[in-house]
Amino acid sequence: MPESSNDFLTLTYDDGVAVVRLDRRGAAVNTLSPEALGAFSDVLDAIEQAAQARALVFISGKPDTFIAGADLEALRSMQTPAEVQALVERGHALIRRLRTLPMPSVAAIHGAAMGGGLEVALACSYRIATDHKATKLALPEVQLGLLPAGGGTQHLPRLIGLQSALDLLLTGKNVYPRTARRLGLVDALTYHHGLLDAAVQAARQLADGTLTPRRDAQGLGEKIVESNPLSRRVVYQQAEARVRKKTRGHYPAPFKILGCVKTGMERGLEAGLEAEAEGFAELVFTPESRALVSLFFAQRAAGRNPWKEAARPVDTVGVLGAGLMGSGIAEVSAGGGLDVVVKDRDLALAAGARRHLWEATKKKVRKRILSPFERDRLVERVVPTASYGALATAGLVVEAVPEDLALKHQVLRDTEAVLPDGAVFASNTSSIPIADIAEAAARPEAVVGMHYFSPVGQMPLLELIRTEATADWALGTAFEVGRRQGKTVIVVGDGPGFYTTRILGVYMNEALLLLEEGARIETVDEAMLDFGFPMGPYALFDLVGIGTAAKITEVLARYPVLEGRRVSRSAEKLADAGYLGQSTGKGFYRYDGTERQGVNESVYAFFGGPARTEFTDEAVQQRLALLMVNEAIACLEEGLLENPRDGDLGAVFGLGFPPFRGGPFRYVDHETAPAVAARLSRLQLQHGDRFAPNGLLREKARTGARFYEGEQT
């Protein structure tokens, strides 16, 4: 029987070892809320007063989570920096208390130890983790525009060294078990089902003095560098330069993290903790963090399948086409535990999907995220074929053939001929309306769009498209498959380009018009990097393929979506002349393999010649970004989007809209609708009616209403 328990923790004793099981009642994962801090304090009171307690073990009662981090809902409800700072200081006091207990403590980690969860583990005398693939450790606060506020900026550098700690603190990346052991982040690894026994044994040995943690992961060179104040200064300067280059100054959190680490290392632990508390409280109320946290909650909300009850089970996914997209779809499907049948014109082509998966998992094997055995099992899930008959067992088939409506009609008919009733046919088209594709279907209710983004294995978004005929069971089934593939799923209405391709199309078209007006390639790309996009439009043209972009423009031009607009045909001319982009080494830039070699000046021959005109960064940013924003709002007005949340997720996770701006709709709320509408009206006067603010934006500007009423931006 437990000695004590509450809604967060259960305390029992095992022959002198206090075992605290973390298991927040009614929650899927453990998080650190103000109430949880109180529960921690109470259990430490009980342990300190227990005569039999010689050591302490923390272990989770959740399936694949130690502690998932801070309770962001509680944090979001706080109104002032002083309120946040008081909470952080309360957490610091608890961590300090844990670190100074008169007995050894062991963190037994299985699953995710994230943020505050890892900081609790860092406060313990010893850390033992499972070598299971579900186990990962990280301080990901920087990805939310925040900093680790449970002592992480102070204790991590002292444990694993300054340079290794900065790498984790400034990226928020996951660390997997074997790497964590090598870094010294954990002291030992064990298998999943033996975790509690191993932790209790370690606790007893620590108490007896028969176990002393070995912490010598740092090399001699690193120790020499980090022991010298002058060389530490160089480390800080190099880290700041990397952050500035990567963020272009848009994200304040990495600089605050650097400041906290530097303060703690140069002025002492308590000064560092004080800087950490003040910095965190300040960051919580920055627009950048507000935007990033809003995306976190939007992504979580998008994980709920509205048609889950209607969904039909899928064990096998079929993929038509083993090109880059098809192979990527096979990769994420196998990674989600699905069997995959990949069909192409012949067996050799279809087998390319298995080669792709083998190459894609090489890095994971090298980093010991996957074992060679696990990699082999994953690859074996993908079965190549040249026969439609092999798809007969598939519960869902994704077509990933070129953007040719006649070809898509043919593969739909051929696939339907072998699919059982209740199976879903999905098209990965990026521009052709799904209803047009479904005209060839005997069962149009089973046809959906599943628009993936390249590279499929890395891009988090899946755009799920429904037609007026699509059945709820088909939507629910496709949604569940997308979730198993690890995707953030948004559901949008049907139409040319759907949502993401439509708003990207007007953005890319405007970039071509800028070149026709005399802009320089590097000026435009640099301006959009400074705005916050991960790459400029011409680098993106080269990456996706200029021929592919030309084909999308050709498709969109057949529909009213581009009616009345000034449409550039330059991409088609470039493609016809052999300027296809990175894959051929020649596009808007020159390439040596995948390495960019500089602007391809010969491209200007297609845009009026070598004489160029100077454009300001602001002029470029306003034309490109505001056109995309205006088009996104039009999609909401027309009902293609169900809500602003999906529009922001689609733009950020599918197209690289600057995350710190939160997406097109949150951007408008932050800038205010009257200001954005006024800017568009000025652009309309200068450049034409394609910049006219749409009706919904004008209405928001008139009333002062926001897309996210009641939320701070």
Side-chain angles (χ1 to χ4, degrees), residues 41 105 124 154 185 246 262 264 316 383 402 461 627 634 646 649 669 695 705:
S41 183
S105 54
C124 293
Q154 305 306 305
L185 195 55
K246 183 176 180 180
K262 184 176 179 180
T316 301
V383 178
L461 188 74
L627 203 60
D646 287 348
L649 283 174
D669 280 357

Side-chain angles (χ1 to χ4, degrees), residues 321-504:
L324 184 63
M325 293 301 293
S327 294
I329 295 165
E331 174 192 344
V332 296
S333 300
L338 293 159
D339 292 329
V340 188
V341 177
V342 180
K343 187 212 171 288
D344 214 313
R345 291 194 307 273
D346 58 56
L347 196 57
L349 287 172
R354 293 188 72 171
R355 289 193 297 274
H356 168 92
L357 183 53
W358 181 274
E359 291 297 322
T361 52
K362 264 186 179 179
K363 191 174 182 181
K364 291 183 178 180
V365 173
R366 192 164 57 247
K367 289 189 170 184
R368 298 185 177 183
I369 299 169
L370 285 178
S371 70
F373 174 71
E374 288 169 327
R375 185 264 313 279
D376 292 346
R377 288 185 63 190
L378 197 62
V379 173
E380 287 299 320
R381 284 190 173 276
V382 178
V383 178
T385 183
S387 166
Y388 277 102
L391 300 170
T393 59
L396 179 143
V397 172
V398 184
E399 162 267 300
V401 302
E403 295 286 87
D404 181 289
L405 185 58
L407 176 61
K408 290 179 184 290
H409 280 167
Q410 187 60 54
V411 298
L412 171 53
R413 294 188 194 98
D414 291 342
T415 304
E416 271 194 326
V418 301
L419 283 183
D421 288 342
V424 176
F425 181 91
S427 175
N428 179 53
T429 177
S430 58
S431 55
I432 302 173
I434 303 304
D436 288 5
I437 295 171
E439 287 176 352
R443 298 186 292 273
E445 70 279 4
V447 179
V448 301
M450 292 179 78
H451 179 206
Y452 296 84
F453 297 78
S454 184
V456 180
Q458 298 173 30
M459 296 293 284
L461 188 74
L462 171 63
E463 189 176 28
L464 181 58
I465 304 105
R466 68 182 305 173
T467 72
E468 291 183 2
T470 304
D472 286 354
W473 66 263
L475 275 173
T477 302
F479 198 115
E480 284 303 298
V481 169
R483 286 187 61 200
R484 289 188 67 176
Q485 292 169 334
K487 298 301 179 185
T488 295
V489 184
I490 63 168
V491 181
V492 303
D494 193 22
F498 326 120
Y499 169 62
T500 54
T501 303
R502 175 170 161 180
I503 68 171
L504 181 64

Side-chain angles (χ1 to χ4, degrees), residues 445-571:
E445 70 279 4
V447 179
V448 301
M450 292 179 78
H451 179 206
Y452 296 84
F453 297 78
S454 184
V456 180
Q458 298 173 30
M459 296 293 284
L461 188 74
L462 171 63
E463 189 176 28
L464 181 58
I465 304 105
R466 68 182 305 173
T467 72
E468 291 183 2
T470 304
D472 286 354
W473 66 263
L475 275 173
T477 302
F479 198 115
E480 284 303 298
V481 169
R483 286 187 61 200
R484 289 188 67 176
Q485 292 169 334
K487 298 301 179 185
T488 295
V489 184
I490 63 168
V491 181
V492 303
D494 193 22
F498 326 120
Y499 169 62
T500 54
T501 303
R502 175 170 161 180
I503 68 171
L504 181 64
V506 297
Y507 170 90
M508 300 294 271
N509 182 67
E510 193 67 21
L512 293 175
L513 295 179
L514 276 166
L515 278 190
E516 291 177 6
E517 293 172 28
R520 296 181 185 277
I521 290 169
E522 64 271 31
T523 296
V524 175
D525 271 0
E526 284 294 316
M528 297 319 292
L529 286 169
D530 283 339
F531 187 79
F533 279 86
M535 64 176 62
Y538 310 124
L540 182 59
F541 267 118
D542 282 357
L543 180 65
V544 301
I546 295 171
T548 300
K551 185 68 176 176
I552 290 171
T553 301
E554 178 190 335
V555 171
L556 291 179
R558 299 175 194 157
Y559 298 93
V561 64
L562 293 180
E563 191 174 329
R565 293 180 185 265
R566 182 181 162 202
V567 178
S568 173
R569 297 290 184 176
S570 300

Side-chain angles (χ1 to χ4, degrees), residues 186-268:
V186 300
D187 297 293
L189 299 177
T190 189
Y191 63 96
H192 180 195
H193 297 293
L195 178 61
L196 179 58
D197 289 343
V200 169
Q201 182 181 3
R204 289 201 185 101
Q205 290 176 328
L206 289 165
D208 294 341
T210 57
L211 174 63
T212 302
R214 289 187 58 190
R215 298 200 175 130
D216 54 1
Q218 267 189 296
L220 179 61
E222 289 176 286
K223 289 180 180 178
I224 292 172
V225 167
E226 296 180 9
S227 65
N228 186 315
L230 292 176
S231 55
R232 285 201 300 271
R233 186 184 304 170
V234 174
V235 173
Y236 302 138
Q237 290 170 345
Q238 290 174 339
E240 182 175 354
R242 288 193 297 270
V243 167
R244 198 167 297 282
K245 181 179 180 181
K246 183 176 180 180
T247 68
R248 299 176 94 91
H250 288 307
Y251 296 84
F255 298 100
K256 284 284 185 188
I257 290 170
L258 264 173
C260 291
V261 172
K262 184 176 179 180
T263 298
M265 296 295 287
E266 307 308 320
R267 293 173 45 201

Side-chain angles (χ1 to χ4, degrees), residues 19 34 59 64 137 145 179 249 334 339 377 400-401 432 441 512 588 590 619 627 648 661-662 667 677 681:
V19 177
I59 192 167
D64 285 320
L137 302 88
T179 302
D339 292 329
R377 288 185 63 190
V401 302
I432 302 173
L512 293 175
F588 289 99
R590 293 175 287 103
L627 203 60
D648 283 342
R661 299 185 189 276
Y667 171 78
S681 294

